């Protein structure tokens, strides 16, 4: 019998933890460092790739994703070495997707050609806003004009370019967002990530919010309006949502991210990277040390950057599959979910009668309505604690 | 044994903060009753809550030896009484045990509502009253105006009022002399059969029940076999003592004397305040008239926040009842709040004190439901039911009419706030009985329904008068009115814990306030939820909680799975702690806030 991960594929995530500045809304593992010895980092990544490929050898690698932090601060040679090492470690798909996250500044755009030559075939740009005031409020170092210029260079360099926008920002009205979104759609090639601003604990915004200093955030109703307007406008523009916050022309979805949502296997390397890897017939949840220096030293000294590697029960996997899978418009396979859980799915009738979910063959999907309140839907559907 | 002519028994009447306990402390201190090193503030208030709130809850007494200017040594027995209306019954019986009172009035503030109620009790008990003007050292003191005020409002001669500062000790010797020269000595017959009044009793963890008595006739000795004339129970005295204020053993107590005894009595309930104590073998022929037992007038539910604490709550309530027979309890079950107790109290302060003691002394977290009064429900078949809990209101088709307790409330307030006070009383269905002025202070007397007062009247009064009003009340009668039970329905399901009795004319307003509040307190669900207030089947107020519009995590990639799933699992576990009403889940905190209704 095939392992469950094969339903989702296999990808490699490379975390580059450094940024030029920390954005106030960002809760990702990113750090600002004065100087970085990129050779040392390269060696550590290569050593991790080798180690993991010994653990899960011979499987086809579908995707590589350079995330961060700001991976567009990596030297193209380092990116090239990592891609080459991955290609050497696993058989790769012919159409392997290799994505790199980039900040839309001129400095970084200057490296695009190098990344392309290294093998990168898709970039995802953190444009975040098409409004200079808001870019400043979001703590971004680029201007709209600079972003547009960088975006043009990217689209001339790569076939596939996506960019991110953050909405439901401070003092943003639905009308303003609609105008900005239309402008974004006129630039877009085949993929857009549209995120509602989320105030995360432990960020500068989170701190300001707790002290009552982050004013003008839309309330639930007006944030809801913006969300539904976004769906409507993107559908009409031919970039429907295939996931809660991700929109693409059919066929241009991020294959790497879909591995997460389809609950495939992924190796995560770099500080704070997470992985799900099936070996010896058992899926494991893996994480690494958060602090860049600590991860680097651990890899150099012990040859293993993992901080923990925990076997996941069927119950755990079922919960993760549901939580990730229902984010996709395609939903989850009930058979697959039930065979992970070892018992039938529960509590669907009420949600179905409320119009939050629907069945289509073996697939269980959220409706547009249900996806907007996905957390509530998942709270209902998540299996009760094990044995209960 | 002390000669009757050398005994003086007295109490102190004062408004809260006018210095009653401080004066008591000074009297004890200046006569050397307590060694200087053992002195502490509010010496007679043993409970933490009494000290913290600056109030006296339980009566207490102290025996003071005072060598007077006439060369003789007197025994002064002070019975310290609670000042608050809730404990009026304690005051009235303590008054019966003494012959005189010191009326302490703050020389800068004048007579307040509570002073009035208590001084009338003293007058009723035929007390000789010595007015004392306290805080005379304050720049704002106006002794002449306050003297006039005492004469106007109370109607007693204040010409010879003693001017003191209990804080600095100024004038305290004059108070001691006034007690000796102006208060009468007790009367009694040493050779008659024993006749003593049971003044109070309390539970001591080491000694069991301690009984405070005032001997009228005869002599009581340690080892005596005594009888309680009302209960008929007989006991042998283990210990006889006087309070200084700690217990000092004494061989005997004669007429006019006040002391305490223990006699292996198990619970406070076995002793009846006002009972007559006599000798088993040679009883007196006629008992004292006794007192009416105090009856709880305010009821509320007490529920443990954590359902596992129910047994601890039961134990704690039983222990407190050992000491306070005036507080009643019976088990109650609520769909919203689980298992708890419906408890009866003498008033709101009593309720707060008991709740504080349960939470503090027994380390419990409690939910207190909105206080309610006892209604008399007259059924069509001629029977009458006492309704302690609105949830138990019988079906209206069987009910002929409902009566509610009314009170006579006296409020004294600086005239600049009078308008607000009148409006407040009027809003609470009050009927004005009297309005008089004493200087710039007005005294208004209102006939009010008690249920409007237990709700949040004190707080409102305090806030509209910036704390300058004083308030007191006494129960008058039960009176019929248009009273109905208002139910709250959430998604068409009745929520028992939120039912309340209201006057029909106030129902819409209360109903609206409750629905609006619940709309804020109940979390949104995936469907919209009607919240209604209804009388019988008729909806009188309605709000709609709209459906949840958006609750989705914007970003969730490979690195987020573990953390986000834990969060959702935690939220799911939190849902389980909510109370389920049909399809609606209501957090317990919503009930707590809704029941407070502090608007």
């Amino acid at each position: 019998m095939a392992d469950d991960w094969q339903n989702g594929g296999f990808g490699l995530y490379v975390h580059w933890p450094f940024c030029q500045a920390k954005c106030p809304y960002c809760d990702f593992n990113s750090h600002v460092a004065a100087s970085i010895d990129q050779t040392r980092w390269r060696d550590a990544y290569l050593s991790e790739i080798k180690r993991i490929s010994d653990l899960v050898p011979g499987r086809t690698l579908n995707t590589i994703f350079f995330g961060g932090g700001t991976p567009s601060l990596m030297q193209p040679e380092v990116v090239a070495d990592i891609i080459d090492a991955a290609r050497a470690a696993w058989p790769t798909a012919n159409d392997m997707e290799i994505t790199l996250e980039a900040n839309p500044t001129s400095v970084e755009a200057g490296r695009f050609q190098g990344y392309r030559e290294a093998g990168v075939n898709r970039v995802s740009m953190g444009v975040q806003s098409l409004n200079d005031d808001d870019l400043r409020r979001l703590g971004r170092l680029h201007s709209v004009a600079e972003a547009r210029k960088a975006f043009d260079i990217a689209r001339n360099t790569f076939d596939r370019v996506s960019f991110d926008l953050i909405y439901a920002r401070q003092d943003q009205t639905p009308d303003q967002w609609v105008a900005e979104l239309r402008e974004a759609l006129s630039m877009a090639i085949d993929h857009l990530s549209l995120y509602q601003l989320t105030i995360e604990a432990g960020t500068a915004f989170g701190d300001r919010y707790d002290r009552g200093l982050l004013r003008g955030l839309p309330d639930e109703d007006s944030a809801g309006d913006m969300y539904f307007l976004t769906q409507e406008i993107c559908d009409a523009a031919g970039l429907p949502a295939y996931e809660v916050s991700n929109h693409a022309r059919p066929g241009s979805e991020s294959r790497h991210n879909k591995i997460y949502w389809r609950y495939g296997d992924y190796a995560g390397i770099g500080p704070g990277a997470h992985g799900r890897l099936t070996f010896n017939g058992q899926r494991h949840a893996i994480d690494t040390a958060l602090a860049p220096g600590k991860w680097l030293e651990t890899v150099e000294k012990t040859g293993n950057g993992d901080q923990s590697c925990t076997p996941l029960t069927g119950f755990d996997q079922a919960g993760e599959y549901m939580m990730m899978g229902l984010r996709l418009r395609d939903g989850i396979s009930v058979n697959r979910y039930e065979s992970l859980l070892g018992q039938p799915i529960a509590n669907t009738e009420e949600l179905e009668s409320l119009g939050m979910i629907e069945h289509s063959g073996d697939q269980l999907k959220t409706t547009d309505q249900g996806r907007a309140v996905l957390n509530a839907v998942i709270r209902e559907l998540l299996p009760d604690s094990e044995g209960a | 044994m002390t000669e009757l002519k050398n005994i003086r028994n007295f109490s102190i009447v004062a408004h809260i903060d006018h210095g009653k306990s401080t004066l008591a402390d000074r009297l004890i201190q200046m006569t050397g009753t307590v060694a200087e090193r053992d002195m502490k503030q509010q010496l007679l208030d043993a409970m933490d809550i009494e000290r913290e709130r600056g109030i006296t809850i339980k009566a207490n007494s102290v025996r003071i030896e005072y060598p007077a200017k006439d060369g003789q040594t007197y025994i002064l027995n002070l019975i310290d009484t609670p000042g608050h209306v809730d404990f009026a019954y304690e005051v009235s019986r303590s008054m019966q045990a003494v012959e005189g009172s010191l009326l302490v009035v703050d020389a800068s503030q004048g007579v307040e509502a509570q002073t009035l109620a208590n001084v009338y009790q003293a007058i009723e008990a035929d007390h000789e009253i010595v007015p004392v003007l306290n805080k005379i050292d304050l720049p704002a003191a106006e002794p002449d105006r306050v003297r006039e005020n005492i004469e106007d409002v109370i109607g007693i001669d204040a010409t010879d009022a003693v001017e003191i500062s209990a804080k600095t000790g100024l004038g305290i010797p004059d108070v001691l002399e006034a007690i000796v020269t102006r208060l009468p000595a007790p009367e009694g017959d040493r050779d008659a059969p024993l006749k003593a009044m049971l003044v109070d009793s309390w539970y001591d963890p080491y000694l069991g029940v301690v009984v405070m008595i005032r001997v009228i006739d005869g002599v009581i000795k340690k080892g005596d076999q005594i009888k309680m004339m009302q209960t008929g129970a007989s006991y042998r005295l283990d210990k006889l003592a006087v309070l200084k204020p700690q217990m000092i053993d004494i061989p005997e107590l004669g007429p006019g004397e006040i002391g305490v005894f223990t006699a292996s009595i198990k619970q406070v309930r076995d002793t009846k305040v006002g009972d007559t104590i006599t000798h088993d073998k040679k009883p007196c022929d006629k008992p004292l008239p006794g007192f009416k037992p105090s009856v709880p007038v305010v009821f509320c539910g007490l529920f443990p926040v954590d359902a596992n604490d129910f047994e601890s709550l039961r134990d704690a309530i039983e222990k407190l009842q050992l000491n306070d027979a005036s507080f009643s309890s019976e088990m109650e079950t609520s769909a919203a709040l689980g298992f708890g107790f419906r408890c009866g109290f003498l008033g709101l302060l009593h309720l707060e004190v008991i709740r504080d003691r349960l939470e503090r002394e027994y380390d419990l977290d409690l939910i207190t439901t909105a206080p309610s009064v006892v209604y008399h429900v007259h059924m069509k078949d001629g029977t009458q039911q006492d309704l302690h809990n609105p949830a138990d209101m019988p079906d209206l088709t069987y009910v002929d009419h409902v009566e509610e307790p009314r009170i006579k409330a006296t409020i004294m307030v600086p005239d600049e706030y009078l308008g607000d006070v009148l409006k407040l009383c009027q809003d609470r269905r009050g009927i004005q009985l009297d309005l008089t002025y004493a200087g710039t202070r007005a005294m208004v007397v209102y006939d009010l329904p008690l249920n409007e007062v237990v709700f949040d009247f004190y707080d409102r009064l305090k806030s509209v008068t910036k704390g300058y009003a004083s308030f007191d009340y006494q129960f008058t009668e039960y009176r019929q009115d248009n009273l109905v039970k208002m139910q709250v329905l959430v998604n068409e399901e009745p929520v028992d814990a939120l039912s309340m009795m209201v006057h029909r004319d106030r129902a819409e307003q209360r109903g609206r306030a409750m629905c609006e509040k619940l709309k804020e307190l109940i979390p949104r669900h995936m469907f919209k939820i009607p919240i209604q207030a209804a009388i019988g089947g008729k909806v009188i107020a309605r709000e709609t909680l709209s459906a949840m519009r958006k609750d989705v995590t914007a970003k969730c990639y490979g690195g987020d799975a573990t953390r986000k799933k834990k969060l959702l699992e935690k939220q799911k576990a939190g849902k389980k702690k909510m109370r389920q009403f049909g399809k609606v889940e209501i957090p317990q905190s919503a009930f707590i806030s809704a029941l407070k209704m502090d608007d």
Side-chain angles (χ1 to χ4, degrees):
Chain A
M1 199 178 80
D3 285 331
D4 178 78
W5 68 267
Q6 292 180 349
N7 293 299
F10 174 53
L12 170 68
Y13 176 76
V14 180
H15 190 82
W16 179 260
F18 302 107
C19 287
Q20 275 180 319
K22 179 94 191 163
C23 299
Y25 55 86
C26 174
D27 71 332
F28 282 28
N29 187 29
S30 54
H31 302 263
V32 179
S35 72
I36 303 152
D37 181 348
Q38 296 219 4
T39 315
R40 259 182 89 191
W41 279 85
R42 180 200 60 192
D43 293 346
Y45 288 124
L46 299 191
S47 135
E48 284 289 89
I49 289 170
K50 176 77 178 66
R51 177 180 66 82
I52 294 168
S53 70
D54 288 345
L55 198 62
V56 288
R59 47 168 76 178
T60 301
L61 180 67
N62 300 109
T63 62
I64 301 174
F65 194 103
F66 292 88
T70 310
S72 52
L73 296 173
M74 293 171 88
Q75 290 160 2
E77 300 74 36
V78 174
V79 173
D81 289 348
I82 291 170
I83 293 171
D84 289 348
R87 286 186 189 277
W90 291 284
T92 56
N94 290 336
D95 58 347
M96 182 162 66
E97 176 190 275
I98 302 174
T99 309
L100 183 133
E101 286 181 337
N103 269 352
T105 69
S106 54
V107 181
E108 285 151 309
R111 284 194 282 268
F112 285 176
Q113 188 57 38
Y115 294 140
R116 190 185 123 114
E117 283 158 16
V120 171
N121 52 29
R122 181 175 180 270
V123 291
S124 171
M125 304 186 75
V127 172
Q128 314 308 9
S129 166
L130 297 176
N131 170 324
D132 278 330
D133 287 341
D134 283 352
L135 282 176
R136 271 192 295 277
R137 282 218 259 192
L138 292 171
R140 301 298 292 186
L141 300 174
H142 63 268
S143 65
V144 175
E146 201 173 4
R148 283 179 178 279
K149 216 178 278 173
F151 178 76
D152 283 340
I153 295 171
R155 66 183 298 165
N156 290 329
T157 313
F158 303 98
D159 290 340
R160 301 176 63 199
V161 181
S162 174
F163 64 94
D164 296 358
L165 289 179
I166 295 175
Y167 69 103
R169 304 189 297 253
Q170 287 172 274
D171 302 320
Q172 190 182 36
T173 64
D175 285 352
Q176 287 169 347
W177 166 237
V178 166
E180 189 171 336
L181 178 58
R182 290 195 194 285
E183 204 181 329
L185 283 163
S186 72
M187 291 164 60
I189 302 167
D190 59 359
H191 193 282
L192 269 180
S193 299
L194 305 170
Y195 300 110
Q196 287 224 351
L197 177 61
T198 308
I199 308 305
E200 302 281 359
T203 63
F205 270 10
D207 181 47
R208 260 180 255 171
Y209 183 79
D210 289 344
R211 287 186 291 145
L213 300 176
L214 202 63
R215 301 198 185 87
L217 289 172
D219 62 12
E220 184 190 329
D221 286 329
S222 125
D225 287 347
M226 288 192 230
Y227 173 81
F228 285 107
L229 281 167
T230 303
Q231 308 309 308
E232 204 180 292
I233 291 167
C234 290
D235 277 352
L239 269 79
Y242 64 98
E243 189 263 356
V244 171
S245 304
N246 284 281
H247 300 255
R249 287 193 203 290
S252 298
E253 298 88 357
S254 159
R255 274 175 253 160
H256 181 81
N257 289 336
K258 275 177 84 171
I259 292 174
Y260 301 138
W261 297 318
R262 286 177 163 173
Y263 205 43
D265 260 9
Y266 47 96
I269 61 173
H274 288 244
R276 291 290 181 275
L277 283 180
T278 308
F279 50 89
N280 305 330
Q282 166 71 52
R283 193 183 240 132
H284 294 77
I286 298 162
D287 67 8
T288 58
L290 263 180
K294 190 177 172 206
W295 177 82
L296 189 61
E297 279 169 30
T298 310
V299 174
E300 287 173 344
K301 281 192 189 137
T302 69
N304 184 343
D306 292 354
Q307 179 171 263
S308 75
C309 178
T310 317
L312 289 169
T313 62
F315 173 87
D316 290 335
Q317 295 181 55
E320 291 192 343
Y321 174 46
M322 165 172 296
M323 183 185 78
M324 301 306 273
L326 287 179
R327 299 183 67 82
L328 290 170
R329 181 169 270 187
D330 290 344
I332 59 171
S333 150
V334 175
N335 277 332
R336 190 180 160 200
Y337 173 81
E338 291 181 344
S339 68
L340 282 171
L341 185 63
Q343 61 188 52
I345 190 164
N347 300 335
T348 52
E349 300 80 11
E350 175 73 17
L351 290 168
E352 205 158 2
S353 74
L354 287 169
M356 297 295 154
I357 54 173
E358 61 192 15
H359 284 277
S360 141
D362 178 45
Q363 291 300 110
L364 177 78
K365 310 169 177 184
T366 46
T367 59
D368 291 345
Q369 207 67 35
R371 216 170 309 121
V373 293
L374 185 61
N375 289 343
V377 170
I378 294 170
R379 282 194 291 268
E380 292 298 323
L381 290 179
L382 269 185
D384 278 327
S385 58
E386 217 163 347
Chain B
M1 145 81 201
T2 314
E3 292 279 336
L4 282 167
K5 70 176 178 58
N6 287 346
I7 300 175
R8 295 293 182 273
N9 297 322
F10 69 103
S11 66
I12 304 177
V13 170
H15 184 71
I16 185 166
D17 286 342
H18 280 199
K20 178 169 65 100
S21 296
T22 317
L23 173 58
D25 287 352
R26 281 299 158 266
L27 295 175
I28 292 167
Q29 196 177 17
M30 284 218 173
T31 52
T33 308
V34 170
E36 204 61 40
R37 65 188 146 81
D38 295 330
M39 239 357 250
K40 52 185 173 182
Q41 279 194 0
Q42 279 183 260
L43 201 69
L44 295 183
D45 294 333
M47 279 187 261
D48 285 348
I49 291 179
E50 292 183 312
R51 290 230 169 75
E52 258 167 47
R53 295 190 173 217
I55 53 172
T56 303
I57 296 166
K58 292 292 287 180
N60 204 339
S61 89
V62 62
R63 178 176 166 123
I64 298 167
E65 283 180 31
Y66 169 61
K69 286 186 181 155
D70 63 8
Q72 302 188 49
T73 294
Y74 289 81
I75 296 293
L76 313 182
N77 287 305
L78 162 62
I79 295 192
D80 190 22
T81 59
H84 194 273
V85 54
D86 282 6
F87 307 104
Y89 76 109
E90 299 240 12
V91 180
S92 77
R93 70 201 192 196
S94 305
M95 296 277 186
Q96 301 297 323
V98 298
E99 287 79 22
S101 285
L102 302 180
L103 165 63
V104 180
V105 180
D106 185 320
S108 63
Q109 293 189 6
V111 177
E112 295 287 356
Q114 273 176 20
T115 326
L116 211 56
N118 287 340
V119 83
Y120 285 144
Q121 296 216 35
I123 292 170
E124 238 169 77
D126 279 332
H127 280 193
E128 192 63 43
I129 295 167
V130 175
V132 174
L133 304 184
N134 191 18
K135 307 194 188 181
I136 204 79
D137 56 323
L138 292 186
E142 294 179 89
D144 292 335
R145 188 185 65 80
V146 171
R147 262 194 197 89
E148 219 172 283
N149 174 244
I150 292 173
E151 290 176 359
D152 285 353
V153 178
I154 303 174
I156 60 170
D157 184 6
T159 327
D160 295 327
V162 188
E163 299 190 0
I164 66 159
S165 165
K167 201 172 130 210
T168 65
L170 178 80
I172 301 299
D174 301 335
V175 176
L176 288 163
E177 273 306 302
I179 292 168
V180 168
T181 57
R182 288 164 65 178
L183 297 185
E187 289 166 9
D189 181 357
R190 186 179 164 78
D191 300 323
L194 174 65
K195 183 191 265 188
M197 179 199 289
L198 197 163
V199 181
D200 202 356
S201 63
W202 58 89
Y203 186 82
D204 180 291
Y206 301 106
L207 300 170
V209 174
V210 178
V211 178
M212 188 196 294
I213 54 164
R214 154 72 197 266
V215 180
I216 313 285
D217 291 321
V219 177
I220 188 167
K221 294 192 178 84
K222 186 183 167 183
D224 279 359
Q225 188 72 27
I226 53 117
K227 188 171 134 179
M228 311 262 196
M229 291 181 81
Q230 273 181 48
T231 64
S234 179
Y235 301 96
R236 179 175 296 277
L237 251 58
D238 294 334
K239 183 183 181 75
L240 185 67
V242 290
L243 299 172
K244 281 185 147 189
Q246 73 277 34
M247 280 188 207
I248 307 288
D249 285 351
I250 194 163
E252 60 169 52
L253 288 171
E257 289 191 287
I258 291 171
V260 295
F261 69 76
T262 65
S264 309
I265 303 172
K266 298 241 160 35
Q267 346 183 16
V268 171
R269 275 173 207 283
D270 299 335
T271 61
K272 261 195 150 54
V273 168
D275 203 345
T276 309
I277 290 163
T278 190
H279 280 129
D280 205 14
K281 288 272 164 56
K282 190 187 159 203
C284 62
D285 48 355
K286 232 177 87 190
L288 297 160
F291 303 127
K292 268 187 283 177
S294 54
V295 186
V297 291
V298 177
F299 283 76
C300 75
L302 292 179
F303 293 85
V305 169
D306 180 348
N308 295 325
D309 284 343
F310 175 75
E311 284 304 325
S312 317
L313 175 60
R314 185 208 292 275
D315 285 353
I317 286 177
E318 277 171 10
K319 287 208 181 95
L320 281 192
Q321 279 174 337
L322 286 178
N323 211 354
D324 186 349
S326 58
F327 140 59
S328 72
S329 71
E330 82 188 62
M331 221 185 105
E332 185 183 3
T333 319
S334 152
L337 305 171
F339 289 106
F341 290 92
R342 190 85 192 160
C343 298
F345 306 92
L346 300 170
L348 273 184
L349 180 71
H350 189 211
L351 184 161
E352 281 177 34
V353 165
I354 296 282
R355 189 198 50 206
D356 280 7
R357 292 189 64 190
L358 288 170
E359 293 201 319
R360 202 180 304 188
E361 294 171 26
Y362 299 92
D363 198 22
L364 293 164
D365 275 333
L366 298 177
I367 303 169
T368 314
T369 66
S372 125
V373 301
V374 181
Y375 296 91
H376 288 170
V377 181
H378 292 265
M379 309 298 286
K380 286 196 174 134
D381 65 6
T383 58
Q384 186 208 309
Q385 296 182 4
D386 282 358
L387 182 72
H388 293 171
N389 186 347
D392 300 334
M393 177 74 181
D395 192 301
L396 282 180
T397 48
Y398 303 111
V399 174
D400 187 72
H401 67 276
V402 180
E403 291 177 338
E404 64 176 341
R406 304 283 302 199
I407 57 165
K408 183 176 147 191
T410 305
I411 299 165
M412 308 195 76
V413 61
D415 58 5
E416 54 194 299
Y417 303 113
L418 181 63
D420 294 321
V421 170
L422 296 183
K423 182 169 180 312
L424 176 66
C425 292
Q426 222 62 42
D427 285 349
R428 300 303 173 96
R429 302 191 282 130
I431 301 164
Q432 199 184 98
L433 301 178
D434 197 10
L435 171 57
T436 49
Y437 277 92
T440 58
R441 286 177 74 81
M443 180 173 93
V444 274
V445 182
Y446 260 86
D447 169 43
L448 278 161
L450 181 60
N451 86 337
E452 299 282 350
V453 172
V454 298
F455 200 54
D456 58 353
F457 188 84
Y458 288 123
D459 293 343
R460 298 294 306 149
L461 183 69
K462 255 190 271 167
S463 84
V464 301
T465 64
K466 302 198 164 62
Y468 282 111
S470 62
F471 167 75
D472 203 347
Y473 70 84
Q474 59 203 109
F475 170 75
T476 50
E477 61 169 354
Y478 268 86
R479 199 183 303 157
Q480 181 180 345
D481 213 326
N482 190 1
L483 298 158
V484 291
K485 172 176 147 181
M486 186 176 84
Q487 268 196 315
V488 175
L489 298 110
V490 174
N491 207 28
E492 319 285 339
E493 297 274 338
V495 180
D496 59 351
L498 300 176
S499 294
M500 59 169 88
M501 295 295 294
V502 288
H503 190 269
R504 188 63 190 82
D505 294 348
R506 300 253 293 147
E508 270 84 6
Q509 192 194 334
R510 284 277 185 87
R512 251 196 323 277
M514 179 59 93
C515 292
E516 281 167 16
K517 196 155 188 181
L518 285 173
K519 190 182 166 187
E520 298 302 315
L521 293 168
I522 299 175
R524 286 185 180 192
H525 284 53
M526 280 181 273
F527 44 90
K528 65 176 187 219
I529 301 170
I531 301 167
Q532 298 159 305
I535 295 169
K538 187 175 173 250
V539 173
I540 54 164
R542 181 190 166 107
E543 290 283 336
T544 304
L545 175 63
S546 32
M548 182 190 293
R549 193 118 157 83
K550 192 173 166 298
D551 180 8
V552 58
T553 307
K555 283 191 185 188
C556 191
Y557 296 99
D560 305 305
T562 309
R563 195 162 48 99
K564 299 270 150 90
K565 179 155 166 281
K566 274 204 184 114
L567 186 66
L568 286 168
E569 277 167 349
K570 203 171 136 202
Q571 289 168 351
K572 189 181 174 81
K575 266 159 55 80
K576 285 207 174 146
K577 286 199 188 139
M578 295 195 196
R579 308 282 172 171
Q580 186 95 26
F581 289 87
K583 292 193 289 177
V584 179
E585 286 153 344
I586 307 178
Q588 189 154 272
S589 60
F591 288 101
I592 301 170
S593 311
L595 290 168
K596 274 192 188 148
M597 286 293 267
D598 45 11
D599 49 318

